[in-house]
Each structure stands twice: as C-alpha cells, then as structure tokens.
C-alpha cells in the first residue's frame, strides 16, 4: 500500500497563473480532504470531497476549487495565484473513520 | 488553528519524558489527535482519542484528556533523537474537518 500520494512534490508558478495539484488516496479510502499549511503554521482546512461532491468547505475563496474522480483520486485547482498562496498543500484520505492519513504534500511557490 | 492552542517550543534531554500540551475551545469535539511532522514532510498520525475517553496508551505514547478543562496532552516516554519534530494537536467536530494548532517544535538534546 503506497499510502496517500501527491504530485508534484514541488512547483513554482508566477502570480496570476493557475495550478492543479493531484492526490491519490490510500487504498480503500473514499474521502479526500485538502489543507494549506503556510510556513510556521498549522494546516488549514480547504475542503473535503466524498462521492465526487464537495462535502464541506473551509474559509477559502472561490479561486480554490476541487474535483474528485470515480476512482476517489482528487485534484485541487487554484486560479489567479497570489504570492500569499505559497504554502505546503496537504491531501488527507480517510474511510468513514476518525483516522485521516496525510500525503507528503506539494510545496507551491508563487513568484 | 485559532481554536486549538499549543506552546511553541519544547526542549528535552534524550531518555527523559516529553510532555506536549494543548488546549481546545469546542466542547463538542468528538476526536482529538496528535500528528508528527518532520522537516519537509507531511503529517504522520501518531494517535487519537475519542472524547469520551480519559486516557489512551500506545507503546511510548500516552494521551491524557481533561474534558472539563478542554486540555489534551501527549507524553512521549524515553524520548529519542528521532522524536525531534513538530507535533500538532488537532480536534474534529465530526469526521469531516480537522482544526490544527500551530504546532510544538520538540528538540531532543543529547
């Protein structure tokens, strides 16, 4: 079991561009959540996907959107990138339990 | 992480016990978690406790929960250099969203 995998591991984008981050959940997990972790801070909840629908959303603007595919993998899209979007983006997967497992994250740098 | 508070730093001698403390504000929290993050890495789930429990032990880790004071602690026995990391406390009101503290940086000195 490869656990939760995220791609790419690192990414550099220019202000105003758009980015897509990808996540494959742990085998058997059907729920995917995305978090943003700014430097020196704890992760902040962006949104969660279950059965291909956004189930809950944190306090993030509409520039942040997502998708879940039938195989439970997920994408996070961020439009009109700002310098403040630079962060580690973490994906977590779970299966109707309290245990959420995180991937290694994608380090996004906006210049 | 505004609903979960942790002290920022802890320094401990190798072989001693570490105790990391956390306070949370929402008495409706159903689960409370401890995650470990090493430099440049994602979060590793260490343990979690259901809100109707007072204590949970798992090898070197002991979690204590005081619901009245909304206080959670993680004790690491026989702390090793590999325990140096950032430890995050998190709460969940349901199975959907985790709210994290800012993390406690634990440094283990020889």
């Amino acid at each position: 079991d490869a656990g939760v995998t995220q791609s790419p591991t690192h990414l550099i984008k220019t202000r105003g561009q758009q980015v897509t981050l990808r996540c494959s959940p742990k085998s058997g997990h059907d729920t995917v959540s995305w978090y943003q972790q700014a430097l020196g801070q704890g992760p902040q909840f962006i949104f969660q996907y279950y059965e291909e629908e956004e189930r809950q959303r944190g306090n993030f603007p509409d520039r942040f959107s997502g998708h879940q595919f039938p195989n439970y993998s997920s994408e996070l899209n961020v439009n009109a990138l700002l310098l403040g979007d630079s962060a580690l983006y973490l994906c977590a997967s779970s299966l109707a339990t309290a245990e959420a497992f995180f991937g290694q994250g994608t380090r996004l740098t906006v210049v | 992480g505004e609903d979960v508070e942790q002290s920022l730093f802890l320094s401990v001698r190798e072989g001693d016990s570490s105790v990391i403390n956390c306070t949370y504000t929402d008495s409706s929290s159903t689960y409370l978690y401890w995650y470990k993050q090493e430099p440049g890495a994602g979060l590793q789930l260490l343990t979690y406790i259901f809100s109707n429990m007072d204590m949970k032990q798992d090898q070197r880790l002991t979690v204590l929960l005081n619901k009245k004071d909304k206080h959670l602690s993680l004790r690491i026995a026989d702390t090793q250099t590999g325990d140096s990391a950032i430890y995050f406390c998190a709460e969940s009101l349901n199975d959907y969203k985790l709210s994290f503290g800012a993390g406690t940086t634990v440094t283990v000195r020889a």
Side-chain angles (χ1 to χ4, degrees), chain A residues 33 35 37 40-45 48 55-56 88 90 98-100 102-104, chain B residues 1-2 31 33 35 37 41-43 45 48 88 94-98 100-102:
Chain A
S33 302
Y35 291 81
Q37 185 179 20
Q41 297 182 22
Q44 297 289 314
F45 176 78
Q48 184 181 85
R55 179 156 69 174
Q56 189 172 5
L88 180 67
L90 295 163
E99 297 182 348
F102 282 78
Q104 292 296 96
Chain B
E2 64 274 10
Y31 294 101
Y33 302 78
Y35 281 87
Q37 186 175 39
L43 300 179
L45 176 62
Y48 66 95
F88 290 96
N94 47 42
D95 289 338
Y96 302 162
K97 165 188 170 183
L98 293 173
F100 287 86

Side-chain angles (χ1 to χ4, degrees), chain B:
Chain B
E2 64 274 10
D3 297 327
V4 179
E5 292 189 358
Q6 305 177 233
S7 52
L8 293 181
F9 301 99
L10 175 67
S11 178
V12 61
R13 195 186 308 273
E14 189 175 10
D16 287 352
S17 291
S18 308
V19 179
I20 308 167
N21 294 301
C22 166
T23 57
Y24 60 98
T25 56
D26 199 320
S27 57
S28 303
S29 295
T30 52
Y31 294 101
L32 295 135
Y33 302 78
W34 286 103
Y35 281 87
K36 175 183 180 183
Q37 186 175 39
E38 297 184 75
L43 300 179
Q44 175 192 353
L45 176 62
L46 292 177
T47 186
Y48 66 95
I49 188 168
F50 189 51
S51 58
N52 68 352
M53 298 170 63
D54 297 324
M55 186 182 87
K56 181 178 180 181
Q57 188 154 4
D58 183 1
Q59 299 182 358
R60 292 191 298 123
L61 305 179
T62 302
V63 178
L64 295 178
L65 175 60
N66 181 328
K67 280 197 72 175
K68 174 176 169 290
D69 295 335
K70 298 189 186 70
H71 182 265
L72 182 75
S73 68
L74 174 69
R75 177 178 179 270
I76 306 172
D78 185 26
T79 310
Q80 302 298 307
T81 54
D83 295 324
S84 291
I86 302 175
Y87 290 79
F88 290 96
C89 168
E91 64 174 348
S92 174
L93 300 181
N94 47 42
D95 289 338
Y96 302 162
K97 165 188 170 183
L98 293 173
S99 295
F100 287 86
T104 299
T105 299
V106 173
T107 303
V108 181
R109 59 188 193 276

